[in-house]
Amino acid sequence: MPDLLALLGNAATSLAAQRALGAVAGHNIQNANTPGYARQRAFLAAAQPAELVNGQLIGRGAVLQSVIQVRDRFVEAQVGTALANAGSSRAEAEALSALRALDPGAAGGLGEGISGFYAALRGLAQNPGDLGLRTAALGAARTMAHSFNRTAQDLARQRDALDVKLGGLVDEVNVEARAVADLNAEIKAAAAGGGTPNDLLDLRQAHVDRLAELTGATAVPTSEGDLNLVTPQGAVLVAGSRAAALALAPDPANGGHLQVQIRAVDGSGPTALPGSAFSGSVGGTLAARDGALRDAARDVDELAYDLAGALNAVHRAGVGLDGVGGRDLFAPPAQLDGAAMALAVALAAPDQIAAGLDPSAPGDARNAQALLATESSALAGSGRDLQATLSGIISAFGAEAQRATAFAAEDLAVHDHVLSLRESASGVSIDEELIQMQKAQRGFEAIAKVIQAADEMLQTLMQLR
């Protein structure tokens, strides 16, 4: 009878193992459409030690050995980089493509304003005494100044918008980092009780993936089961159950635009981090704001400053119809920074345009010709003429925007490919899980027959007198 009772006990243990096998397959099926879920596998093993009966070892059935996630470590090692690169290039491309101020085909753009101004000057040079042509030239000068103003405003507005976006990204980084730190503690506590908390591991991985996409952070596993997270230049975002906190503060060296600061996991700081400390969406946003957009703003300021200086130098040498000379055509910019935003016409009336050099000759157009010559003269800052300088600004920004767009498309393709590989390795196949369910069901039924047979054998023994 003890042997029969042992058989019943072994069968009960094996029954529980088959139930676990079916439960894991069912759990996979129920989470087939859950984002970030990695399918799980239950592994059974022969119960140890075997039972010794009359000098012979008899097996004691099956037990549940482990339930683990199915993840391809080679693929997982590529996911973080793919997410970071795609997040960075997408953020930069979106920021640069949103700017229309330097679109050469846009109506009312800087190129159109400059061309209109010099076209009006050419008309004025044909008949400098004509008040209508003077009025048109003064209006064209104001239009050109407005084109500079609007271009500078659009560039500044786009950079300010990226500051706002950066605030939202930093808030999300802090939430995700805190979530990973909390999950590190939960996973460690759950693992201490035995077994592997696979669903918590999935949840932590989802937060780690999002942080990689946001900041380019790399996960560094520890021997204690934690995942520490480090930015591309080594700033620690998560260490065990502690998380760093990012914040934003105005940077006087960057026109008051926001810089990212970090309060370290040990509470020290805050310490300013350069834009190169990040990849992902944060890094791409900073790269656009402080790269192509800042360069374009500086170049437009330099163009406005140099052009105003060149035109004023010529204009001061001439006289208007009122016989007065020494006037500036544009209000002289106080400094290069902000010159485009501040550019404004200094003259109040058309007859003040200094088209001539002789105050007694209203038809004198020599100074108007000199003003026209500034279009083909080398500017002080660039060393090239006006049109070449403007074309250089537009083409340089366009090239950066095209580069960012091309990189975004390439990185997105890699991103999709790597995630497809992850899905192939870790995703749930419902057909496969149904097969696992059927195997568990058949095993369960067979073991139930063992229990039934053992029970009948016990009943037979109990009926013996």
Side-chain angles (χ1 to χ4, degrees):
M1 186 176 295
D3 290 342
L4 290 175
L5 291 176
L7 179 59
L8 284 171
N10 294 343
T13 301
S14 300
L15 208 61
Q18 297 299 324
R19 185 201 66 81
L21 196 65
V24 170
H27 186 58
N28 286 336
I29 292 172
Q30 293 156 25
N31 286 279
N33 297 318
T34 300
Y37 179 81
R39 81 176 188 272
Q40 300 174 16
R41 274 288 166 263
F43 290 92
L44 306 186
Q48 299 294 336
E51 182 182 0
L52 184 63
V53 178
N54 293 332
Q56 301 298 318
L57 292 174
I58 300 175
R60 300 176 61 188
V63 294
L64 177 65
Q65 185 180 47
S66 63
V67 180
I68 65 171
Q69 293 179 313
V70 179
R71 288 189 181 271
D72 187 316
R73 296 176 66 180
F74 175 72
V75 172
E76 292 297 326
Q78 301 176 65
V79 169
T81 300
L83 290 171
N85 290 342
S88 176
S89 57
R90 180 175 61 247
E92 186 176 9
E94 288 175 352
L96 298 184
S97 62
L99 183 74
R100 290 289 177 265
L102 294 178
D103 183 352
L110 191 55
E112 186 176 302
I114 291 173
S115 297
F117 171 70
Y118 280 96
L121 278 183
R122 276 188 282 274
L124 180 62
Q126 299 299 317
N127 187 4
D130 188 293
L131 189 59
L133 293 175
R134 285 178 166 272
T135 301
L138 187 60
R142 288 172 177 155
T143 298
M144 184 178 73
H146 181 66
S147 297
F148 272 101
N149 301 158
R150 186 167 55 194
T151 301
Q153 288 167 1
D154 287 348
L155 286 163
R157 191 179 298 115
Q158 184 65 8
R159 296 188 74 200
D160 290 342
L162 294 181
D163 279 341
V164 175
K165 178 181 179 181
L166 196 60
L169 293 174
V170 163
D171 289 343
E172 188 176 358
V173 169
N174 289 336
V175 171
E176 296 294 333
R178 184 69 263 165
V180 172
D182 291 344
L183 283 165
N184 277 340
E186 289 184 47
I187 289 168
K188 188 183 297 183
T196 305
N198 293 312
D199 294 323
L200 288 178
L201 292 176
D202 281 340
L203 182 57
R204 182 176 68 179
Q205 187 61 52
H207 289 295
V208 169
D209 287 349
R210 182 56 181 156
L211 276 173
E213 189 175 12
L214 287 169
T215 66
T218 303
V220 181
T222 71
S223 59
E224 297 179 345
D226 293 330
L227 279 184
N228 295 341
L229 292 171
V230 183
T231 67
Q233 283 196 352
V236 178
L237 288 179
V238 176
S241 59
R242 297 177 299 169
L246 300 185
L248 297 173
D251 182 4
N254 192 14
H257 287 285
L258 301 177
Q259 65 177 188
V260 181
Q261 299 180 340
I262 186 170
R263 187 172 293 281
V265 294
D266 61 3
S268 62
T271 304
L273 295 175
S276 57
F278 299 98
S279 181
S281 299
V282 172
T285 300
L286 290 170
R289 190 197 70 183
D290 299 334
L293 287 170
R294 180 168 64 178
D295 291 346
R298 182 198 60 223
D299 291 344
V300 170
D301 277 341
E302 183 177 313
L303 177 60
Y305 187 86
D306 291 343
L307 181 58
L311 288 169
N312 282 344
V314 174
H315 195 268
R316 283 193 295 269
V319 294
L321 286 180
D322 56 4
V324 178
R327 295 189 182 102
D328 286 322
L329 177 56
F330 294 96
Q335 57 185 9
L336 191 148
D337 289 343
M341 187 84 74
L343 189 65
V345 173
L347 303 181
D351 62 352
Q352 295 177 342
I353 297 177
L357 294 175
D358 185 353
S360 62
D364 181 14
R366 286 177 293 169
N367 208 47
Q369 294 291 343
L371 288 170
L372 271 174
T374 59
E375 185 178 19
S376 56
S377 300
L379 294 171
S382 66
R384 296 177 294 175
D385 65 44
L386 176 59
Q387 291 301 329
T389 301
L390 178 60
S391 296
I393 294 172
I394 292 173
S395 62
F397 182 82
E400 283 297 299
Q402 289 178 352
R403 175 197 58 78
T405 300
F407 280 12
E410 180 180 345
D411 290 338
L412 179 60
V414 174
H415 166 277
D416 291 347
H417 176 64
V418 171
L419 291 189
S420 176
L421 291 177
R422 171 191 264 184
E423 180 64 22
S424 297
S426 302
V428 176
S429 167
I430 293 180
D431 290 339
E432 184 179 342
E433 299 307 321
L434 287 174
I435 292 173
Q436 291 293 324
M437 286 285 289
Q438 289 177 350
K439 289 173 61 178
Q441 180 184 0
R442 294 294 177 84
F444 195 92
E445 291 171 350
I447 295 169
K449 291 291 185 181
V450 173
I451 294 174
Q452 182 180 0
D455 180 62
E456 291 174 356
M457 294 168 69
L458 278 172
Q459 292 296 328
T460 299
L461 287 176
M462 295 295 291
Q463 291 172 5
L464 291 178
R465 294 175 182 261

